[in-house]
Amino acid sequence: MKSVVVLGNWKSNKTLAEAKAWIEAFSKHKDFPVNIQVIVCPALHHIPLFMDAKFPIHLGVQDVSPFPAGSYTGAVAASLFAGTQVSVVMIGHSERRKHFGESNEMVAEKVKQSVSAGMIPVVCISESTQAEAVKQLAPQFFQKGMFLYEPLFAVGSGTPDTPLNANAFAAKLTSDFGRIPILYGGSVTPENVASFASQEYLSGVAVGKASLDPEIFFQLIVNASSRS
Ligand code: PGA
């Protein structure tokens, strides 16, 4: 049975009260499919709320500093997550590249910091040149990283890529860079998740909007398992 990753990215959403309500509702579900690895990436201030969570998830963050710990006001260094349950870090999401001017060089610095802190970097790419840049600038990514393929037209639009296109992109990445996990992201829903999760070269999906509602997200997790 193929193990499938489902990564929920809350982006810049949820007050403390809303996050607590999500966790309470999600905790009511006991029958998690065993072949799904769930990762939730909330906003930073929610992380302590997940420490006592009674459900089987991995915790991730949506970004990290390109610098080590020290005098970098406003940044959170990868090494500062020591002693927390945060094990995954998203890097170079298209919204960060677009709104915060993240370059391939900055992505590479974030990868290096994350790998040396023992975290799993999930590097987001919408074209293969961005993967090539990771290979050139931060080859340590390939020790334990995952790519997240997110075509720009599909992110937050309600119009996903086709599973066949996503699989073809992932197949090409695999032939260029070797076997590493590749997720698809962009308008994934409970209705379409199985068609992505069952593709040969995809190891799972990343979910923005559909992760914000605990019932929809749980249904998506269950459906992801049904064809895996
Ligand atoms: P979406 O976001 O599910 O809301 O389209 C996906 C992503 O940001 O990768």
Side-chain angles (χ1 to χ4, degrees):
M1 188 162 56
K2 179 177 161 189
S3 170
V4 170
V5 174
V6 174
L7 181 153
N9 172 12
W10 284 7
K11 307 191 178 183
S12 189
N13 289 296
K14 294 198 187 297
T15 62
L16 214 48
E18 289 166 346
K20 278 184 188 163
W22 188 102
I23 290 169
E24 198 183 319
F26 201 67
S27 302
K28 299 210 165 88
H29 295 288
K30 305 290 172 219
D31 38 359
F32 276 81
V34 291
N35 59 328
I36 306 289
Q37 293 182 49
V38 182
I39 305 167
V40 177
C41 301
L44 282 181
H45 68 298
H46 299 137
I47 284 169
L49 300 178
F50 281 84
M51 295 300 184
D52 299 321
K54 307 251 179 315
F55 40 77
I57 64 155
H58 302 276
L59 203 49
V61 288
Q62 301 167 19
D63 184 35
V64 73
S65 174
F67 298 108
S71 300
Y72 302 97
T73 300
V76 182
S79 61
L80 301 185
F81 291 104
T84 72
Q85 288 165 359
V86 174
S87 57
V88 174
V89 52
M90 300 178 69
I91 298 175
H93 189 281
S94 58
E95 289 155 7
R96 296 219 48 95
R97 294 183 194 254
K98 177 176 172 194
H99 299 297
F100 300 89
E102 281 193 14
S103 62
N104 286 333
E105 287 71 22
M106 207 183 286
V107 166
E109 292 310 311
K110 293 179 178 198
V111 168
K112 289 179 200 165
Q113 293 297 331
S114 304
V115 171
S116 60
M119 298 168 87
I120 297 171
V122 177
V123 171
C124 309
I125 58 172
S126 47
E127 50 189 71
S128 53
T129 55
Q130 293 166 337
E132 190 57 48
V134 173
K135 186 174 178 193
Q136 298 302 324
L137 301 171
Q140 52 275 72
F141 166 77
F142 292 91
Q143 289 164 23
K144 61 190 299 193
M146 297 184 211
F147 279 126
L148 162 51
Y149 168 54
E150 36 153 24
L152 297 181
F153 69 84
V155 174
S157 67
T159 306
D161 202 346
T162 65
L164 287 182
N165 273 349
N167 191 53
F169 185 91
K172 173 82 170 66
L173 274 189
T174 303
S175 92
D176 291 350
F177 301 104
R179 261 283 178 197
I180 63 159
I182 301 167
L183 312 182
Y184 166 78
S187 302
V188 176
T189 62
E191 291 73 33
N192 66 24
V193 67
S195 61
F196 288 104
S198 58
Q199 295 298 321
E200 181 180 358
Y201 290 96
L202 292 175
S203 296
V205 294
V207 186
K209 189 158 176 256
S211 71
L212 294 176
D213 180 303
E215 304 312 323
I216 293 174
F217 190 53
F218 184 74
Q219 192 57 52
L220 190 150
I221 291 165
V222 170
N223 293 359
S225 82
S226 65
R227 294 259 305 272
S228 57

